[in-house]
Amino acid sequence: MATHMSRCRTWSRLERFGIAAYRKYSSGGGYPNVHLSTPLPGIPKPVFASVDGQEKYETKITTLENGLKVASQNKFGQFCTVGVLINSGSRHEAKYPSGISHFLEKLAFSSTAQYGSKDEILLTLEKHGGICDCQTSRDTTMYAVSAEVKGLETVVSLLSDAVLQPRLLDEEVEMTRMAVRFELEDLNMRPDPEPLLTEMIHAAAYRGNTVGLPRFCPADNVDKIDKKVLHGYLCNYYCPERMVLAGVGVEHEQLLECARKYLLDAKPVWGASRPDNVDLSVAQYTGGIVKMEKDMSDVSLGPTPIPELTHIMIGLESCSFLEEDFIPFAVLNMMMGGGGSFSAGGPGKGMFTRLYLNVLNRHHWMYNATSYHHSYEDSGLLCIHASADPRQVREMVEIITREFIQMGGSAGEMELERAKTQLKSMLMMNLESRPVIFEDVGRQVLATGKRKLPHELCDLISSVTASDIKRVTTKMLRSKPAVAALGDLTELPTYEHIQAALSSKDGRLPRIYRLFR
């Protein structure tokens, strides 16, 4: 019976496709073995995405009647990232207790006028496969949601509610106090000292002003911040002219329609009075030193304990991200590179950068040497972080100061080309990610009112020359150093000696002669 059925099926296929087509059958399929470039019989014609020049990639920007900017970037896919970026951060807290931005980050997406709790918000987003997040930095606060494009209206409505209508209930503020205290404890206990050192170097470089104000809430201020203080701050900084609604993966007209509906006439819960206490201070670079004596011997115990280390970060003033010199500084930072002495990977991981070749490869006792570049709308900071045994701190500081001085020498052609190529590669790879594109669009539009596209930035990077690097380095070396030191600081040179080394021709520390060691 089975044999008879099989013969019937074979005969029906022969009748349908003919002997020639039947011979080309694949071993297990029900379709003839048609070439991949030929459409299959009975299948609807596919519709492919097409790109017409650069137009599809342009960022569209519209300013609403109330001053709110709406920026969008279309991107193929069924998910989108939409958020509100606000020109508000720890640098604006000069007239308030420091730590308000830290509190607002923790309180974000809690109960609002429309939603009774954080759980309600999360359940609403889950219907559209969405997640939400809030991040604050020294100069920007960002509320963001990633969800299906079909739920765009719900997302914008929710963002409007979270930003302008938070309830800030007493129990939520109390829970936030506990979360902030825990984070401050964790900051001092974690094996990675980089967040703490970054905080310290900013405090040293911009003593008591703008970006030098603490990003994390000081322990003394945790109990001072309440609903009244938060409302006073929000009234001045959470206003439409200081905001951008940015979206990636959405149609501009659709986002604009939602913005008009939910953000144009939205009344904030703290009242619609005009901001009258906005801090417009410009960052004043002061230089200086911040030290924290600390026992680092038991920071990371366990099967593979980290040895006791002293961490030093030395920085010099660079430039604002609005200046033309920002790109040469970014290339210089890439050229310095660096990382941990036990980092895995090949040349792509920075094995040819100056801090690898001149520092980690030559001095086996150096645990880490990494370059960082922090840039803001009115100033910037290029710094090198290094870690070593407490007994070799003086030698480590001299190695860093020598590297700073050698930045002023001429950069090799191959070295410069490699740094430029690495920077372009890193830029393009990061911009593959939708949330990164969202942040890039939002931050650029918030700071400048427009957006430089990736190909424009790549052209600017390509045009950097060795003379540009030398020029920006010479300018940078004229500034006073900012120094952050953490750990056992017995062997740390004085600030004056570090300053003298950075003013010398070879970067060496002044010799000190001791009668007894």
Side-chain angles (χ1 to χ4, degrees):
M1 183 70 180
T3 312
H4 175 69
M5 288 291 288
S6 174
R7 280 177 185 156
C8 283
R9 273 202 300 270
T10 304
W11 180 246
S12 67
R13 284 173 187 164
L14 277 167
E15 279 185 323
R16 190 172 167 196
F17 299 115
I19 292 170
Y22 178 69
R23 281 177 185 154
K24 294 179 184 175
Y25 257 44
S26 60
S27 55
Y31 277 111
N33 189 3
V34 179
H35 195 274
L36 286 173
S37 61
T38 311
L40 290 170
I43 299 291
K45 193 178 177 183
V47 179
F48 297 105
S50 61
V51 177
D52 312 321
Q54 290 292 334
E55 296 82 47
K56 299 274 178 175
Y57 289 108
E58 279 181 13
T59 305
K60 293 178 179 172
I61 304 162
T62 305
T63 305
L64 299 184
E65 293 82 349
N66 63 352
L68 175 85
K69 291 186 182 73
V70 180
S72 74
Q73 176 92 20
N74 212 342
K75 191 179 193 306
F76 188 72
Q78 66 186 84
F79 273 78
C80 64
T81 300
V82 180
V84 175
L85 289 94
I86 306 154
N87 187 4
S88 152
S90 59
R91 70 170 294 163
H92 300 107
E93 293 171 359
K95 299 172 185 174
Y96 299 88
S98 286
I100 289 176
S101 297
H102 194 185
F103 262 70
L104 290 171
E105 180 183 70
K106 297 276 173 272
L107 282 163
F109 297 106
S110 295
S111 66
T112 68
Q114 196 179 329
Y115 300 93
S117 67
K118 190 164 194 161
D119 289 344
E120 268 189 52
I121 289 176
L122 296 176
L123 283 168
T124 304
L125 285 174
E126 271 180 26
K127 291 172 188 170
H128 302 285
I131 52 168
C132 61
D133 186 29
C134 176
Q135 291 176 8
T136 59
S137 63
R138 293 179 192 280
D139 54 0
T140 312
T141 300
M142 184 170 68
Y143 294 78
V145 173
S146 284
E148 271 191 307
V149 180
K150 287 183 283 187
L152 179 65
E153 192 163 328
T154 308
V155 166
V156 177
S157 164
L158 191 150
L159 281 166
S160 170
D161 226 40
V163 174
L164 300 173
Q165 301 277 328
R167 285 187 185 169
L168 305 179
L169 302 173
D170 291 343
E171 56 265 35
E172 289 172 347
V173 174
E174 194 50 51
M175 285 294 288
T176 301
R177 286 194 184 115
M178 289 168 64
V180 167
R181 284 195 186 101
F182 173 78
E183 199 166 321
L184 292 175
E185 278 180 41
D186 180 59
L187 189 69
N188 287 306
M189 288 167 63
R190 63 170 64 176
D192 173 26
E194 203 264 320
L196 190 56
L197 276 169
T198 303
E199 190 76 356
M200 289 164 70
I201 196 87
H202 279 82
Y206 304 92
R207 194 170 291 276
N209 76 88
T210 58
V211 290
L213 297 173
R215 193 172 85 77
F216 298 102
C217 181
D220 299 343
N221 287 358
V222 174
D223 290 319
K224 292 179 188 174
I225 297 171
D226 56 18
K227 184 174 180 175
K228 187 182 174 186
V229 172
L230 292 169
H231 272 188
Y233 179 86
L234 292 167
C235 182
N236 281 308
Y237 290 98
Y238 277 40
C239 44
E241 56 270 26
R242 298 178 69 89
M243 291 183 188
V244 170
L245 173 68
V248 175
V250 294
E251 291 289 342
H252 188 70
E253 293 309 316
Q254 205 181 348
L255 185 64
L256 203 55
E257 190 183 320
C258 292
R260 288 187 189 283
K261 188 173 177 182
Y262 297 106
L263 287 159
L264 184 58
D265 298 314
K267 296 284 183 286
V269 73
W270 47 85
S273 60
R274 298 297 301 164
D276 56 357
N277 205 13
V278 176
D279 182 44
L280 300 172
S281 309
V282 174
Q284 301 296 316
Y285 182 86
T286 58
I289 185 165
V290 171
K291 297 190 278 190
M292 189 186 284
E293 286 269 2
K294 192 177 171 192
D295 178 16
M296 306 284 280
S297 56
D298 58 351
V299 164
S300 176
L301 302 171
T304 53
I306 293 175
E308 184 183 354
L309 298 169
T310 294
H311 303 276
I312 305 291
M313 200 180 260
I314 298 176
L316 294 167
E317 187 180 19
S318 60
C319 74
S320 143
F321 58 65
L322 300 174
E323 294 176 45
E324 287 182 3
D325 285 345
F326 173 65
I327 301 291
F329 269 116
V331 174
L332 174 63
N333 180 52
M334 211 70 192
M335 199 190 294
M336 296 310 293
S341 55
F342 304 112
S343 160
K349 285 293 288 285
M351 297 297 181
F352 282 111
T353 60
R354 285 191 183 184
L355 292 178
Y356 257 112
L357 290 174
N358 303 345
V359 178
L360 294 168
N361 283 352
R362 292 184 186 178
H363 307 284
H364 64 90
W365 45 269
M366 287 278 279
Y367 198 82
N368 173 44
T370 316
S371 173
Y372 296 96
H373 187 215
H374 306 280
S375 199
Y376 305 97
E377 65 183 358
D378 45 14
S379 187
L381 190 64
L382 186 100
C383 36
I384 295 176
H385 166 209
S387 313
D389 186 279
R391 291 165 294 184
Q392 287 167 308
V393 169
R394 187 177 174 83
E395 202 177 336
M396 171 172 71
V397 169
E398 188 169 271
I399 287 163
I400 298 172
T401 54
R402 288 214 311 261
E403 281 307 308
F404 268 116
I405 296 297
Q406 283 166 18
M407 284 184 200
S410 56
E413 190 183 339
M414 188 183 288
E415 176 186 42
L416 182 62
E417 283 305 314
R418 183 184 287 119
K420 281 153 66 171
T421 306
Q422 270 189 313
L423 183 59
K424 285 187 277 190
S425 164
M426 190 180 77
L427 173 75
M428 299 311 286
M429 280 195 288
N430 282 339
L431 289 172
E432 292 279 311
S433 159
R434 193 181 61 251
V436 175
I437 300 171
F438 157 75
E439 192 173 339
D440 181 50
V441 169
R443 282 181 182 275
Q444 284 202 50
V445 173
L446 191 65
T448 65
K450 57 182 190 293
R451 183 187 181 222
K452 274 186 181 155
L453 295 171
H455 67 87
E456 293 176 70
L457 291 169
C458 285
D459 291 343
L460 289 170
I461 293 166
S462 299
S463 65
V464 173
T465 62
S467 62
D468 290 330
I469 300 292
K470 190 167 185 173
R471 177 175 51 77
V472 297
T473 305
T474 307
K475 180 182 157 190
M476 177 178 73
L477 287 167
R478 291 194 201 114
S479 62
K480 284 175 70 177
V483 182
L486 177 68
D488 179 350
L489 309 178
T490 317
E491 294 292 315
L492 180 71
T494 64
Y495 178 76
E496 289 71 27
H497 279 189
I498 295 170
Q499 197 172 356
L502 287 165
S503 305
S504 67
K505 287 184 178 178
D506 57 3
R508 290 183 182 278
L509 290 164
R511 299 297 102 190
I512 53 169
Y513 300 98
R514 296 178 187 169
L515 218 53
F516 305 103
R517 277 209 171 272

